[in-house]
């Protein structure tokens, strides 16, 4: 066997409730993850040393040294593999990107999850899904979800994931990609600053941090009902005001989507991608066409969810 190819999905957060900063710099959160049909593809092949090549959407923005998240996932798996058989050798990782970089869609985490699964196959480690999930959680907050896929509740810093029980409804989304990137740590830091400043004089006041963020019961009920309009009305993201404060153009993008009939509009994760829920595939197409004509974003994509997590597409 010479190469394994795995694809892994982008994620949306249907709810993202963020607590105060922790001593380790992360924030406790409660989130509802939702995997959508926008995939990066990752191939691993045995090589003389660990290295990574990146092609496609935003490839020049991805680090290719050992701080590359996919290479970090490879190293984490290698360290966890029992020392038996031929052993986990070095690999060349090729990442074909379709998920925009630093866009709030966890593209780097998708690549890490894909590399993890691909090396797990290549090395025939015999690790269980649960063991793989535990390794994923050490690599980044969103990596465990990229392995799992579907719709799931995330807790802790996001790495503790539990599948959400919901009917097999497919939701149709339009993504508006921005002309630029946002750094996730900077967006969290902006939220902390806005919360510390309090409501006085703020253009967009934010509520103080909840001591313990809570899962939105009405959102979960909307998911169980399979009713897109109910879901659209309950989308929420504590990072949205912070993302808009750093990237004010998003205000117009969100407003344009709602004016064009979206059932809900939200900044995706830490942004700057905006996500819009449509009633069905036809409405999503109309919304995508209209939105791309308004000039409020760089480009648009139609996606649906939930989709499965990282999966092997070919082994040659
Ligand atoms: O875990 P990951 O590397 O994806 O996180 C990127 C950054 O986002 C962290 O360094 C931290 O600044 C911020 N973050 C956070 N709280 C979380 C998840 C991420 O503050 N729960």
């Amino acid at each position: 066997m010479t190469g394994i190819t795995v694809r892994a999905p982008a994620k949306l957060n249907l709810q993202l409730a963020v607590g105060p900063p922790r001593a380790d710099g992360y924030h406790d959160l409660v989130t509802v993850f939702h995997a959508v049909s926008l995939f990066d593809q990752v191939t691993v092949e045995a090589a003389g040393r660990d290295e990574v090549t990146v092609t496609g959407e935003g490839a020049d923005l991805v680090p290719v040294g050992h701080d590359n998240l996919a290479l970090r996932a490879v190293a984490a798996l290698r360290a966890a593999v029992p020392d038996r058989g031929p052993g986990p050798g070095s690999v060349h990782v090729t990442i074909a990107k379709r998920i925009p970089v630093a866009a709030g869609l966890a593209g780097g985490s998708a690549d890490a999850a894909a590399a993890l699964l691909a090396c797990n196959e290549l090395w025939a480690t015999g690790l269980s899904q649960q063991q793989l999930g535990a390794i994923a959680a050490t690599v980044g907050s969103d990596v465990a979800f990229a392995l799992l896929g579907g719709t799931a509740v995330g807790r802790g810093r996001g790495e503790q994931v539990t599948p959400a029980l919901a009917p097999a409804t497919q939701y149709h989304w339009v993504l508006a990609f921005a002309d630029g990137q946002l750094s996730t740590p900077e967006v969290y830091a902006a939220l902390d600053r806005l919360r510390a400043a309090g409501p006085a004089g703020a253009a967009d006041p934010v509520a103080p941090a909840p001591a313990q963020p809570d899962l939105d019961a009405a959102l979960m009920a909307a998911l169980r009902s399979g009713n897109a309009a109910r879901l659209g009305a309950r989308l929420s993201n504590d990072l949205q005001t912070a993302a808009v404060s750093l990237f004010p153009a998003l205000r117009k993008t969100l407003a344009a989507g709602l004016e064009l009939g979206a059932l809900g509009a939200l900044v995706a994760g830490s942004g700057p991608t905006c996500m819009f829920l449509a009633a069905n595939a036809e409405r999503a197409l109309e919304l995508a066409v209209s939105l791309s004509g308004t000039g409020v974003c760089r480009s648009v994509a139609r996606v649906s969810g939930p989709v499965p997590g990282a999966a092997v597409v070919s082994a040659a």
Side-chain angles (χ1 to χ4, degrees):
M1 200 175 279
T2 58
I4 310 274
T5 300
V6 169
R7 70 176 197 176
K11 64 91 184 131
L12 304 179
N13 302 84
L14 307 183
Q15 181 194 4
L16 181 47
V18 180
R22 312 191 309 202
D24 64 2
Y26 285 92
H27 297 69
D28 271 325
L29 51 82
V30 171
T31 188
V32 179
F33 287 119
H34 183 70
V36 293
S37 59
L38 177 65
F39 301 94
D40 279 358
Q41 195 152 297
V42 173
T43 301
V44 300
E45 295 156 288
R49 63 188 170 95
D50 281 353
E51 53 194 359
V52 64
T53 310
V54 188
T55 64
E57 170 85 33
D60 51 331
L61 297 166
V62 179
V64 292
H66 283 273
D67 51 346
N68 179 280
L69 213 54
L71 284 188
R72 278 173 38 200
V74 170
L77 181 63
R78 183 179 289 124
V81 171
D83 194 9
R84 60 170 170 75
S90 297
V91 289
H92 188 116
V93 180
T94 307
I95 303 175
K97 290 211 65 68
R98 289 186 56 220
I99 307 172
V101 178
L105 300 168
S109 300
D111 301 342
L116 208 52
L117 189 61
C119 285
N120 192 53
E121 291 286 315
L122 187 73
W123 297 335
T125 67
L127 294 175
S128 66
Q129 280 301 110
Q130 205 180 353
Q131 288 169 310
L132 217 51
I135 298 166
T138 68
V139 178
S141 305
D142 296 332
V143 184
F145 174 71
L147 274 182
L148 182 68
T151 303
V153 176
R155 296 180 189 275
R157 59 186 172 88
E159 87 287 12
Q160 300 161 20
V161 283
T162 316
L165 293 175
T169 313
Q170 280 288 302
Y171 296 99
H172 299 272
W173 304 90
V174 175
L175 304 181
F177 301 130
D179 210 356
Q181 293 77 39
L182 278 174
S183 141
T184 302
E186 282 174 24
V187 177
Y188 274 99
L191 174 65
D192 293 339
R193 276 198 309 276
L194 287 168
R195 282 175 165 172
D204 284 314
V206 294
Q212 204 59 53
D214 268 338
L215 185 62
D216 180 356
L219 172 74
M220 298 310 283
L223 280 170
R224 281 193 299 275
S225 76
N227 181 318
R230 279 180 69 185
L231 178 62
R234 291 307 305 185
L235 300 173
S236 70
N237 179 0
D238 282 359
L239 292 179
Q240 175 158 307
T241 305
V244 172
S245 76
L246 297 173
F247 206 125
L250 300 184
R251 201 186 303 274
K252 266 193 180 163
T253 313
L254 292 167
L258 286 174
E259 248 163 59
L260 292 166
L263 299 176
L266 200 68
V267 167
S270 54
T273 303
C274 293
M275 56 192 252
F276 303 97
L277 182 58
N280 53 42
E282 206 180 353
R283 286 282 150 77
L285 176 59
E286 288 165 13
L287 179 59
V289 169
S290 313
L291 206 55
S292 62
T294 60
V296 293
C297 55
R298 171 172 62 84
S299 63
V300 299
R302 280 179 300 139
V303 298
S304 61
V307 298
V312 175
V313 290
S314 72

